[in-house]
Amino acid sequence: MPKKALITGITGQDGSYLAELLLGKGYEVFGMVRRSSTETFERIAHIKNDIVLRQADLLDELSIIKILQEVKPDEIYNLAAMSFVPTSWDQPILTGEFTAIGVTRMLEAMRRVCPGARFYQASSSEMFGKVREVPQTEVTPFYPRSPYGVAKAYGHYITVNCRESYDLFALSGILFNHESPRRGKEFVTRKVTDGVARIKLGMLKELHMGNLDSKRDWGFAGDYVEAMWLMLQQDKPDDFVVSSGIAHSVKDLLNTAFSHVGLDWKDHVVVDPLYIRPAEVDQLLGDYSKAKAKLGWQPKVSFEQLIQSMVDADMERVAEESKNR
């Protein structure tokens, strides 16, 4: 019998890569999607016939119980959240409902319906926020600097709490920033690579950016979903930092992306106060040595390869767009 996996947030960047990975390993893959007029399925269009989509909502525990009763999953990957940090300032209560309380609803439903399943919670490096130490490890104290980071810290600790209180196989991956050509355009890496393509093809004059000195530890989403899967294959549940171990500034990002198409970023970038966060997270840098030692995991795609592949994909996409106008 093939294993069954349920992925919340399957239409997102990570969900689509994880679904591909699990299908490749012979899993039956089920995706939880919200009943929403804005739901977009483009990231999973190429595998839509190989997966089963079911409607449920992180805001509605009964719908989660129902989907777990139907699917009876061996593994649950909770990737759904309000994932864009700036939006969490505009909608802090909804962010808390999805990204914090939503985790509790998932765990409670699992405890009632399928307590023998294995549960993965998508924790985030944004929980470290105003960092207490560099690099950050599994034992670095959290100091979140956004409603999103605060909600993720709750989701992280409620997962630990359920593991210790009810002996559930529940764990968290503390993933640092991970990107791909499937990243949403609102995220800084994709904003840059899409902007580079439009500037190169003469469709845009300048790119408006926020804090250029902000540093992030960026990796490839396709590498990071493999770490998620590896965590659920262990004998005991444990939490792991997943990162590249290298920090790059937004300036590095701009330089890599613009130079890939033969442009100088300084000619096209405008710093705009509109994009400065109310409380900035200045430097995130992860130490993934525990994941390397216990899971045998390490990143394969370099920062340069990642950004260049994103620029190439956006050049193709934008060229196609302009043709169809």
Side-chain angles (χ1 to χ4, degrees):
M1 282 283 287
K3 275 188 180 177
K4 291 181 187 175
L6 174 66
I7 303 172
T8 76
I10 195 168
T11 59
Q13 168 188 260
D14 293 9
S16 67
Y17 280 110
L18 179 62
E20 283 174 359
L21 177 83
L22 296 177
L23 287 170
K25 294 184 182 296
Y27 279 67
E28 269 186 70
V29 177
F30 296 81
M32 183 174 124
V33 293
R34 293 170 66 207
R35 184 189 290 271
S36 160
S37 57
T38 58
E39 196 63 81
T40 165
F41 296 99
E42 66 181 283
R43 294 186 185 96
I44 53 168
H46 61 297
I47 53 170
K48 205 151 177 231
N49 296 334
D50 304 317
I51 60 181
V52 181
L53 298 179
R54 289 274 184 271
Q55 285 189 341
D57 198 312
L58 284 181
L59 302 185
D60 176 14
E61 193 180 340
L62 282 178
S63 71
I64 300 169
I65 288 171
K66 195 174 164 207
I67 198 175
L68 292 182
Q69 286 170 336
E70 276 178 29
V71 173
K72 300 185 178 65
D74 300 290
E75 296 174 3
I76 300 165
Y77 295 87
N78 186 39
L79 311 184
M82 290 269 287
S83 64
F84 186 47
V85 176
T87 301
S88 77
W89 294 102
D90 299 330
Q91 298 181 314
I93 294 163
L94 191 59
T95 298
E97 281 287 347
F98 273 115
T99 308
I101 307 299
V103 186
T104 317
R105 292 191 189 100
M106 287 297 300
L107 286 161
E108 275 296 291
M110 170 178 147
R111 189 165 74 86
R112 291 181 194 186
V113 178
C114 49
R118 297 186 165 205
F119 181 88
Y120 172 87
Q121 165 59 12
S123 285
S124 165
S125 58
E126 286 286 331
M127 301 185 306
F128 295 121
K130 190 174 180 180
V131 299
R132 306 292 185 91
E133 62 181 7
V134 179
Q136 293 92 53
T137 71
E138 292 79 6
V139 296
T140 302
F142 300 147
Y143 193 147
R145 300 270 280 170
S146 66
Y148 172 77
V150 172
K152 277 290 185 188
Y154 176 101
H156 181 85
Y157 279 127
I158 202 72
T159 303
V160 172
N161 195 253
C162 286
R163 174 169 78 220
E164 294 177 353
S165 304
Y166 304 121
D167 202 26
L168 296 177
F169 196 109
L171 54 80
S172 295
I174 305 172
L175 270 57
F176 280 67
N177 294 62
H178 45 290
E179 319 296 319
S180 75
R182 297 180 196 172
R183 191 55 143 153
K185 281 188 196 169
E186 67 274 24
F187 291 90
V188 69
T189 46
R190 188 67 206 297
K191 176 182 172 175
V192 167
T193 61
D194 179 72
V196 164
R198 289 177 192 281
I199 288 167
K200 181 67 179 175
L201 296 169
M203 297 163 75
L204 191 68
K205 285 271 191 292
E206 54 191 28
L207 191 57
H208 287 242
M209 299 291 294
N211 179 6
L212 304 188
D213 296 315
S214 182
K215 286 188 174 174
R216 290 290 183 276
D217 180 329
W218 278 298
F220 172 51
D223 287 345
Y224 286 30
V225 298
E226 191 186 351
M228 298 177 187
W229 175 76
L230 284 166
M231 285 178 218
L232 291 197
Q233 312 316 307
Q234 303 307 300
D235 294 334
K236 287 188 180 145
D238 200 359
D239 305 323
F240 291 89
V241 161
V242 179
S243 67
S244 76
I246 303 166
H248 289 93
S249 67
V250 176
K251 275 182 189 160
D252 295 336
L253 165 64
L254 291 167
N255 192 39
T256 304
F258 276 93
S259 62
H260 187 53
V261 295
L263 297 174
D264 184 339
W265 69 269
K266 294 188 185 88
D267 298 335
H268 304 280
V269 171
V270 178
V271 174
D272 189 334
L274 185 69
Y275 296 106
I276 305 288
R277 288 185 191 180
E280 186 55 82
V281 174
D282 295 314
Q283 183 174 8
L284 292 175
L285 175 63
D287 175 355
Y288 68 88
S289 50
K290 179 177 168 184
K292 188 177 181 181
K294 294 199 173 177
L295 307 176
W297 179 88
Q298 60 187 56
K300 300 183 186 88
V301 178
S302 73
F303 173 75
E304 288 73 23
Q305 288 169 324
L306 168 66
I307 301 305
Q308 288 167 3
S309 74
M310 290 174 70
V311 171
D312 291 341
D314 275 327
M315 287 289 288
E316 213 173 290
R317 207 179 268 149
V318 173
E320 194 62 33
E321 227 178 80
S322 64
K323 236 193 289 177
N324 297 333
R325 273 186 169 179

